[in-house]
Amino acid sequence: GLQLLNEAVDAQRETLGEAHPKYIRSLLRLGEHFRVAKRPDDAVRTCLQAVAYSKSLFGDDHPETIIAENSLA
């Protein structure tokens, strides 16, 4: 499960690029899966990447960025 999702996210990054909304959402899903799998360091790292990409693409106050930031709560 988790390895397959990680591979899919990597493929999305290669296909769509890091500044694509679908890639950012996939990172957030991967972070949630890491959290459920009790891998908090990976979860935080992945969600922080999503926040950074979202801020770069949308700005600080955009709903997508706020959703990404909430994933760290």
Side-chain angles (χ1 to χ4, degrees), residues 12-56:
Q12 252 188 349
R13 179 177 35 85
E14 291 174 16
T15 303
L16 302 173
E18 294 171 345
H20 195 283
K22 287 183 180 180
Y23 173 68
I24 295 168
R25 283 187 222 103
S26 293
L27 273 180
L28 291 173
R29 280 192 296 278
L30 179 60
E32 180 59 26
H33 282 284
F34 279 137
R35 187 183 347 265
V36 169
K38 303 202 184 309
R39 293 174 55 181
D41 292 341
D42 291 327
V44 169
R45 176 185 48 79
T46 303
C47 290
L48 282 173
Q49 285 177 333
V51 169
Y53 295 144
S54 188
K55 283 184 176 185
S56 175

Side-chain angles (χ1 to χ4, degrees), residues 1 4 7 17 23 32 58-59 61 64 68:
L4 187 60
E7 290 172 9
Y23 173 68
E32 180 59 26
F58 299 117
D61 297 326
E64 291 286 338

